[in-house]
């Protein structure tokens, strides 16, 4: 299962959980509108890969309380300080990721509900049902959050070497929880059934603020300055992620082959140039102005054809082969836990696989699209993972800021009727990108899905999932219809 969401104005975040299987393949296709004029002359494949694609992997566990149990064992001197820090960081990270995703989903629902209530003068059944569902989700989230924080604080380590790790994580989780709750309070609908839950959220935020003051986690000057507080919490977040994020070593493939191709192209061209010189010498005879002119022409042709031959041989040799290799290392033991091969190139629609073409649902309007294709094939070694954590969570950040620079800056105006009057409104030009993702190895069956990404020059406007496993669904529908006809 893959989740795609908007990370910030210019970045898409793709996350997936990798199971115990040792081999995984991921294909990401970004369909760029042809009107942007994207080509290798504007942005090379290597430049886009290095500037726009960022990948990280962290340990992951389905047993959510396992990290907390291991941290308690460490606090009782049954495990070392490194194990305590690692387990507690993993517990905190999984809590943060889960709460971020839950909060983001509820913020979207809350905003839609607020707009629906503003447009509808009277409450209808659909709006009331949506409000009830959102309220129940808010109550469930705050109950789980309070329970998780209580479990974390139930066993504070007495050892100073362990307490500093606990204090950093507890400080960040308290502040992070407060921020997420305040965000929900500011966006949830006003009045009605949300009054009580809003008061409860505010009460919990006040309690967390008092708790941090009692524990003396932050100096008064830091709490008084939002910028310093935010910077400190961002640093604590990095400290949490550091021990559970796999280290990476990247290597660009084909360096030796590129040198060999360059040498081969030079040798081949020089053979023909030398033969041409000998043939010219036998025809012209003595060294004359004509001979010198002919020699200059031969060497000019050598420079032209040498580069063309080298580029042709290089493309032929590297076609379909991986361009980069990434090695994953355990952050504490520096042991290799997996390797990954990566591809990235520009493609046209006709060269794509049938299932990708079917998922894109190509029409005449998209015949000029340029397709950015990223592929990774990883092989992990679960036996070398940290004990108890056979899974990893991969995050791929795709930055499209380089593509937004190709969009026009100007705005235009439209006219519409409002209360019987003609009104002119300024609108921003937007472009529709399509993102198709295919994954094999993490699930029992290949996973295929498509998202619509609405983009303007100022950033990503909206991300919407529009199709999922269409090929599988269509096969299932056809089989069921055939079975019904047979009956």
């Amino acid at each position: 299962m893959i989740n795609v969401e908007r990370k910030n104005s210019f970045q898409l975040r793709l996350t997936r959980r990798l199971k115990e299987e040792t081999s995984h393949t991921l294909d990401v296709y970004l369909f760029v509108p042809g009107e942007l004029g994207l080509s290798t002359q504007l942005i090379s494949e290597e430049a886009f890969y290095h500037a726009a694609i960022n990948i990280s992997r962290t340990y992951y566990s389905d047993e959510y309380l396992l990290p907390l149990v291991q941290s308690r064992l460490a606090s009782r001197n049954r495990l070392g300080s490194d194990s305590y820090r690692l387990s507690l960081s993993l517990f905190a990270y999984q809590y943060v990721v889960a709460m971020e995703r839950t909060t983001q989903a509820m913020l979207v629902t809350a905003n839609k509900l607020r707009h629906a209530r503003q447009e509808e003068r009277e409450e209808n059944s659909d709006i009331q049902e949506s409000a009830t569902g959102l309220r129940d989700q808010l109550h469930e989230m705050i109950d789980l959050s309070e329970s998780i924080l209580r479990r974390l604080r139930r066993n504070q380590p007495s050892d100073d070497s362990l307490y500093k790790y606990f204090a950093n994580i507890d400080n960040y989780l308290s502040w992070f929880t407060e921020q997420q709750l305040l965000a929900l309070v500011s966006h949830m609908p006003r009045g009605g059934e949300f009054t009580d839950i809003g008061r409860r959220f505010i009460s919990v935020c006040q309690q967390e603020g008092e708790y941090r003051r009692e524990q003396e986690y932050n100096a008064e000057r830091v709490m008084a300055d939002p910028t310093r507080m935010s910077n400190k919490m961002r640093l604590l977040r990095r400290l949490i992620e550091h021990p559970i994020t796999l280290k990476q070593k990247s290597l660009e493939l084909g360096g030796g082959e590129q040198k060999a191709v360059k040498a081969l192209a030079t040798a081949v061209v020089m053979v023909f140039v030398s033969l041409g010189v000998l043939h010219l010498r036998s025809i012209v005879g003595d060294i004359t102005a004509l001979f010198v002119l002919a020699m200059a022409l031969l060497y000019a042709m050598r420079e032209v054809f040498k580069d063309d031959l080298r580029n042709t041989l290089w493309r032929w040799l590297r076609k379909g082969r991986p361009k980069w290799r990434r090695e994953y290392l355990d952050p504490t033991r520096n042991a290799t836990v997996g390797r990954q091969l990566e591809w990235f190139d520009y493609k046209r629609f006709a060269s794509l696989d049938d299932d990708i073409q079917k998922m894109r649902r190509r029409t005449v309007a998209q015949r000029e699209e340029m397709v950015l294709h990223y592929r990774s094939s990883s092989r992990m070694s679960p036996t070398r993972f940290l004990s108890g954590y056979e899974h990893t969570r991969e995050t791929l950040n795709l930055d499209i800021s380089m593509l937004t620079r190709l969009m026009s800056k100007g705005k235009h105006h439209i006219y519409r009727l409002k209360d019987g009057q003609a009104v002119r409104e300024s609108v921003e030009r937007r472009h529709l990108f399509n993102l198709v993702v295919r994954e094999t190895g993490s699930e029992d069956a290949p996973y295929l899905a498509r998202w619509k990404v609405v983009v303007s020059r100022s950033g990503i406007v909206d991300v919407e999932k529009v199709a999922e496993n269409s090929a599988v669904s269509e096969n299932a529908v056809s089989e069921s219809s055939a079975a019904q006809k047979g009956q």
Side-chain angles (χ1 to χ4, degrees):
M1 184 67 177
I2 297 178
N3 294 311
V4 177
E5 57 190 352
R6 175 179 177 269
K7 181 182 179 183
N8 53 41
S9 298
F10 295 100
Q11 287 190 352
L12 290 171
R13 178 165 58 191
L14 288 74
T15 57
R16 60 174 180 150
R17 187 193 63 175
L18 305 181
K19 288 186 176 181
E20 293 91 341
E21 287 86 358
T22 57
S23 298
H24 308 86
T25 302
L26 175 69
D27 288 281
V28 179
Y29 299 86
L30 182 64
F31 294 79
V32 180
E35 56 188 354
L36 297 184
L38 177 64
S39 64
T40 54
Q41 286 74 28
L42 288 177
I43 305 175
S44 66
E45 297 171 348
E46 290 77 11
F48 190 90
Y49 169 83
H50 290 295
I53 297 178
N54 179 266
I55 301 174
S56 65
R57 284 193 180 183
T58 59
Y59 280 119
Y60 184 89
S61 175
D62 285 333
E63 301 177 7
Y64 299 105
L65 296 181
L66 177 61
L68 190 59
V69 172
Q70 291 197 348
S71 67
R72 289 175 182 174
L73 292 175
S75 64
R76 296 169 186 171
N77 295 324
R78 297 184 183 180
L79 295 174
S81 60
D82 291 338
S83 298
Y84 177 80
R85 180 190 181 190
L86 190 62
S87 300
L88 204 60
S89 295
L90 183 58
F91 178 79
Y93 179 73
Q94 294 191 173
Y95 167 74
V96 167
V97 170
M99 194 167 189
E100 279 181 338
R101 184 175 300 170
T102 303
T103 302
Q104 186 64 30
M106 287 192 290
L107 284 174
V108 173
T109 304
N111 289 329
K112 290 181 179 179
L113 183 58
R114 291 182 64 179
H115 292 317
R117 284 187 169 181
Q118 291 175 358
E119 296 175 357
E120 294 286 340
R121 294 184 178 180
E122 297 182 0
E123 292 284 341
N124 57 42
S125 58
D126 293 338
I127 294 179
Q128 187 62 33
E129 183 179 354
S130 178
T132 302
L134 177 59
R135 183 193 60 191
D136 295 340
Q137 292 177 5
L138 291 171
H139 278 291
E140 182 181 5
M141 190 202 73
I142 191 61
D143 290 338
L144 290 173
S145 178
E146 288 184 318
S147 174
I148 290 173
L149 292 179
R150 280 198 303 268
R151 288 178 177 177
L152 173 68
R153 296 163 182 170
R154 191 175 298 167
N155 294 88
Q156 293 189 13
S158 57
D159 190 349
D160 292 339
S161 62
L162 302 182
Y163 180 76
K164 62 181 181 180
Y165 300 130
F166 172 85
N168 287 335
I169 290 176
D170 190 28
N171 186 16
Y172 178 78
L173 293 188
S174 175
W175 179 84
F176 172 80
T177 302
E178 177 186 294
Q179 292 297 307
Q180 298 299 305
L181 297 182
L182 290 177
L184 288 170
V185 170
S186 63
H187 288 85
M188 73 174 57
R190 303 288 184 246
E193 63 271 30
F194 294 96
T195 302
D196 293 339
I197 188 64
R199 291 174 180 172
R200 183 182 176 188
F201 275 31
I202 293 176
S203 176
V204 172
C205 293
Q206 292 173 345
Q207 293 174 10
E208 290 300 323
E210 290 297 327
Y211 173 78
R212 293 195 300 273
R213 283 190 175 88
E214 293 175 359
Q215 299 296 323
E216 298 181 352
Y217 283 154
N218 307 296
E220 289 294 336
R221 64 179 182 276
V222 175
M223 292 187 291
D225 188 349
T227 301
R228 297 185 65 177
M229 189 71 172
S230 176
N231 291 336
K232 179 178 179 179
M233 293 304 164
R234 188 169 64 250
L235 176 60
L236 292 182
R237 175 70 175 263
R238 291 176 59 189
L239 292 176
I240 291 174
E241 295 178 354
H242 180 265
I244 62 172
T245 302
L246 300 180
K247 295 181 180 179
Q248 301 181 25
K249 289 183 179 180
S250 297
L251 175 65
E252 186 169 358
L253 302 178
E257 295 174 348
Q258 189 172 17
K259 295 178 181 178
V261 167
K262 185 177 181 180
L264 177 62
T266 303
V268 171
V269 172
M270 283 304 300
V271 168
F272 287 97
V273 170
S274 300
L275 292 176
V277 171
L278 294 176
H279 185 65
L280 183 65
R281 182 74 174 83
S282 63
I283 295 176
V284 177
D286 296 332
I287 299 177
T288 62
L290 179 62
F291 180 80
V292 173
L293 182 61
M295 285 287 295
L297 180 61
L298 283 176
Y299 277 95
M301 294 177 62
R302 184 198 70 167
E303 293 300 321
V304 172
F305 287 105
K306 182 181 68 173
D307 293 337
D308 290 342
L309 179 61
R310 182 180 61 190
N311 295 334
T312 302
L313 289 175
W314 178 245
R315 286 195 299 267
W316 174 79
L317 182 63
R318 298 298 302 174
K319 184 178 180 180
R321 300 178 64 184
K323 297 181 179 180
W324 298 275
R325 183 175 63 200
R326 195 183 301 263
E327 185 176 359
Y328 293 102
L329 306 173
D330 182 90
T332 56
R333 297 177 289 115
N334 285 327
T336 301
V337 296
R339 291 180 174 84
Q340 178 169 285
L341 297 176
E342 295 178 326
W343 295 255
F344 184 80
D345 49 11
Y346 295 171
K347 291 187 174 182
R348 289 296 180 181
F349 184 85
S351 63
L352 302 179
D353 297 338
D354 293 339
D355 55 346
I356 302 299
Q357 294 184 9
K358 187 180 296 184
M359 176 61 71
R360 174 63 186 93
R361 296 180 181 178
R362 178 174 173 81
T363 60
V364 178
Q366 285 82 36
R367 64 178 178 270
E368 298 299 330
E369 282 183 329
M370 177 66 76
V371 184
L372 278 61
H373 177 214
Y374 168 81
R375 186 185 187 191
S376 67
S377 177
S378 60
R379 186 172 184 85
M380 307 302 288
S381 302
T383 55
R384 299 182 182 179
F385 282 6
L386 178 69
S387 177
Y389 308 108
E390 293 82 7
H391 300 177
T392 57
R393 180 179 185 269
E394 182 181 77
T395 302
L396 188 152
N397 293 323
L398 180 61
D399 192 328
I400 63 171
S401 59
M402 299 178 70
L403 302 178
T404 58
R405 299 191 192 108
L406 304 178
M407 301 178 183
S408 59
K409 297 181 179 180
K411 294 184 178 181
H412 61 280
H413 298 87
I414 63 171
Y415 297 87
R416 67 185 183 94
L417 287 174
K418 183 177 181 181
D419 298 331
Q421 301 292 327
V423 180
R424 190 181 77 164
E425 293 185 355
S426 177
V427 295
E428 186 179 28
R429 188 171 186 178
R430 295 177 178 178
H431 300 268
L432 179 61
F433 290 59
N434 278 267
L435 183 71
V436 177
V437 179
R438 178 176 60 190
E439 181 192 30
T440 58
S442 292
E443 301 293 341
D444 296 334
Y447 179 80
L448 187 64
R450 178 167 68 97
W451 287 262
K452 285 185 177 180
V453 184
V454 181
V455 183
S456 67
R457 186 174 175 85
S458 58
I460 300 172
V461 179
D462 186 38
V463 179
E464 179 187 2
K465 190 175 185 179
V466 294
E468 182 177 11
N469 284 347
S470 63
V472 177
S473 301
E474 290 175 1
N475 292 337
V477 171
S478 61
E479 291 176 1
S480 62
S481 61
Q484 291 177 358
K485 291 180 180 179
Q487 294 176 354

